[in-house]
Amino acid sequence: DLPVTADLEAGYGDPGETARRAIDLGVVGMNLEDQLKPLADSVAAVRAVVAAGESAGVPFVLNARTDAFLRAGDKDPDAVLADAIERGRAYLDAGASTFFAPGKLDESQVEAIVDAVGPQKLNLIAVPGAISLEAMQRLGVARVSFGPWSQNVALTAYADLVASALDGGGVPDGTRRLVAWPSVALDRCDPPARPVCGTVDGEEGVGIITPSNESPGARERQGGVNTRSSWEASVRTIVT
């Protein structure tokens, strides 16, 4: 019963049909990019998605995105802002629920867009150097997403670990243990040349240990029983 919204890019050639197929799968909202196509074409795409939701009787949430800032290049910033505002107004007038303007916007740009389209209509993305979430909320932004940046944060930490290891250091100070791995006995390897072998709660196996069924609480969720199936879910067997 968890509401699911999908990033369906520019609609894959037929935004209305793409939305209809997504709705059939149970999706209740989507992002739709304009890719800076002519405004009339972009508005028609928004209307097609809105119509698909209305036809299905679903209160479909359309987050209409403009790439005005992402593809600004060396354009005059005032012209880029004016284009974004024009597109935002047009998409909302065509029935979009919200307007998404990803990019590194300053407070004056955010304020100008909110003044033009109304409060709680603009969605933004958090990027390095962007204004704070507190400022976005104060200015009337409806929603903030992190896009690929949560993954980039994790990969930055991993890169820092590798750099530290290459410099002769180790695990960076302040690293928290957020994943608990199962206890594996490695004294029963036969033959010892196998990549990973051992036992988990008496079950012997060979493979790559994953935390899927041996993490804290997993046994309670399985009714207190550790079965062969749970072992097999925790070890991807290597065939030799």
Side-chain angles (χ1 to χ4, degrees), residues 63-84:
N63 187 33
R65 162 181 153 172
T66 183
D67 291 334
F69 293 102
L70 295 180
R71 301 189 181 199
D74 57 359
K75 295 178 184 176
D76 178 70
D78 289 339
V80 173
L81 177 60
D83 185 27

Side-chain angles (χ1 to χ4, degrees), residues 21 26 34 52 58 77 131 133 148 186 204 236:
R21 294 177 66 179
D34 64 10
V58 173
I131 64 175
L133 300 182
L186 296 179
E204 194 167 355
R236 297 193 295 275

Side-chain angles (χ1 to χ4, degrees), residues 133-227:
L133 300 182
E134 183 279 328
M136 294 181 190
Q137 183 179 35
R138 170 171 47 81
L139 292 169
V141 172
R143 189 194 78 177
V144 181
S145 61
F146 285 85
W149 287 104
S150 56
Q151 180 185 32
N152 285 327
V153 168
L155 291 175
T156 297
Y158 188 71
D160 289 345
L161 169 62
V162 173
S164 177
L166 290 174
D167 288 341
V171 177
D173 292 340
T175 300
R176 292 172 292 165
R177 182 174 181 175
L178 301 178
V179 176
W181 294 87
S183 175
V184 180
L186 296 179
D187 58 352
R188 298 179 62 184
C189 298
D190 183 22
R194 288 178 171 174
V196 178
C197 58
T199 61
V200 174
D201 292 341
E203 291 283 4
E204 194 167 355
V206 180
I208 301 171
I209 305 301
T210 68
S212 58
N213 283 288
E214 295 298 330
S215 57
R219 194 174 296 189
E220 288 78 359
R221 292 193 296 273
Q222 296 168 4
V225 178
N226 188 34
T227 63

